[in-house]
Amino acid sequence: MNREQVFSLIQAHLADELEVDPARIEEATRFREDLEADSLDLYTLVQELEDSYGVKISDEQAAKILTVGEAVDFVLASAGESRPRA
């Protein structure tokens, strides 16, 4: 799993869930300000990330993730911790 794969999944999920053009979603895109995501939208994204990547995101951690890039960083860091490295 690499950064591009994680970004693509998050981008596709947000585009579908929020009914926005995927081209609008970049790593610097902010969930609330740029995509007008509400708490339920963000909760759904957290569930999607947990289910897809086997990571656990606490409410406190989720509150600190403000951009798409930060979500990608979190998934990559968490997945690296939970899986043995070769």
Side-chain angles (χ1 to χ4, degrees):
M1 161 174 58
N2 64 34
R3 184 171 199 84
E4 191 173 310
Q5 292 169 322
V6 175
F7 173 76
S8 292
L9 174 91
I10 293 172
Q11 182 185 46
H13 174 79
L14 289 170
D16 182 54
E17 193 71 28
L18 302 175
E19 299 179 357
V20 298
D21 182 354
R24 280 187 54 199
I25 303 170
E26 300 174 354
E27 289 214 21
T29 302
R30 297 169 299 175
F31 295 113
R32 293 187 188 275
E33 294 85 347
D34 299 327
L35 298 176
E36 299 177 9
D38 61 22
S39 298
L40 181 58
D41 296 324
L42 297 176
Y43 176 80
T44 303
L45 175 63
V46 166
Q47 294 301 308
E48 177 77 15
L49 295 176
E50 289 180 339
D51 292 346
S52 296
Y53 294 109
V55 298
K56 290 292 178 196
I57 306 172
S58 71
D59 291 341
E60 293 79 22
Q61 290 167 318
K64 295 177 185 175
I65 299 173
L66 305 177
T67 68
V68 174
E70 290 173 359
V72 173
D73 290 339
F74 182 88
V75 169
L76 290 172
S78 297
E81 292 170 6
S82 64
R83 294 187 182 163
R85 292 185 180 214

